[in-house]
């Protein structure tokens, strides 16, 4: 895929995910791909309200790729560690990919943001290796100060290949 000029900005938004804002130049082939058929909003009314308030989607198809907004992970009541939260996040990511015509097997890139990378990275690695079967995706893990909502401890953002997609020219 050849891009003319693209800049990407990632911002944290309150709710169940992060805002993935892709600023595209008018001549860029990906800019022409954003239609109602290629932008997925949440089916959950509470999440959808947050998306509309902050201006982001659950996922966007651009060319042959699916960009899934970040999913924020926290510990639930009575949970001893983040493994159940990571499982919930991958369940949500899997459901989003399914709605876009893909599976977790199609994930090519993962970015994770950690409020305590040393305490969290091994647990996320264990869950992601179990959920992302086959060849591993490219992965960037970043240590950060905080996430929104405040109880968020890790955020997982995914890029997946859309099977059967025509390449962008």
């Amino acid at each position: 895929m050849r891009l003319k000029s693209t800049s990407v900005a990632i911002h944290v938004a309150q709710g169940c995910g992060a805002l993935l804002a892709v600023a595209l130049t008018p001549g860029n082939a990906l800019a022409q791909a954003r239609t109602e058929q290629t932008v997925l909003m949440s089916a959950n009314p509470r999440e959808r309200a947050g998306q509309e308030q902050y201006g982001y989607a659950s996922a966007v198809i651009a060319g042959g790729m699916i960009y899934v907004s970040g999913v924020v992970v926290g510990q639930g009541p009575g949970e001893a560690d983040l493994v159940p939260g990571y499982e919930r996040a991958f369940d949500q990511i899997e459901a989003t990919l399914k709605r876009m015509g893909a599976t977790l097997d199609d994930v090519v890139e993962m970015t994770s943001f950690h409020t305590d990378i040393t305490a969290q990275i091994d647990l996320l690695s264990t869950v992601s290796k179990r959920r992302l079967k086959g060849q591993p995706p490219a992965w960037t893990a970043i240590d950060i100060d905080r996430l929104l909502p405040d109880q968020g401890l890790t955020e997982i953002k995914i890029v997946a290949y859309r099977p059967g997609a025509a390449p962008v020219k």
Side-chain angles (χ1 to χ4, degrees):
M1 168 175 16
R2 191 174 351 155
L3 302 179
K4 293 181 182 175
S5 174
T6 304
S7 62
V8 177
I10 300 172
H11 305 278
V12 178
Q14 181 137 4
C16 292
L19 166 65
L20 171 62
V22 181
L24 300 167
T25 58
N28 188 324
L30 295 178
Q32 299 160 5
R34 289 179 43 189
T35 67
E36 286 184 28
Q37 292 76 34
T38 61
V39 174
L40 179 70
M41 301 300 283
S42 178
N44 177 303
R46 192 180 118 254
E47 289 175 17
R48 177 73 180 250
Q51 289 176 332
E52 290 172 357
Q53 177 181 356
Y54 292 105
Y56 73 98
S58 295
V60 175
I61 293 174
M65 306 304 289
I66 302 169
Y67 298 86
V68 179
S69 289
V71 175
V72 177
V73 178
Q75 279 183 258
E79 293 175 349
D81 60 35
L82 281 170
V83 169
Y86 291 146
E87 291 288 353
R88 285 190 299 274
F90 276 100
D91 288 345
Q92 183 175 340
I93 292 164
E94 185 173 34
T96 298
L97 289 173
K98 183 177 180 181
R99 289 178 65 196
M100 298 298 264
T103 70
L104 289 174
D105 293 338
D106 300 310
V107 172
V108 296
E109 180 182 24
M110 179 171 77
T111 305
S112 55
F113 303 89
H114 303 266
T115 57
D116 185 351
I117 198 164
T118 354
Q120 298 164 358
I121 196 78
D122 288 336
L123 295 174
L124 179 54
S125 176
T126 298
V127 174
S128 69
K129 285 192 284 186
R130 183 171 53 247
R131 298 298 295 268
L132 304 175
K133 297 176 176 64
Q135 296 299 315
W139 180 14
T140 301
I142 303 165
D143 194 57
I144 59 169
D145 294 34
R146 65 184 292 250
L147 289 166
L148 292 177
D150 288 330
Q151 63 271 27
L153 300 173
T154 304
E155 183 164 351
I156 303 167
K157 185 179 91 56
I158 295 289
V159 177
Y161 174 73
R162 188 170 57 114
V168 175
K169 296 180 183 181

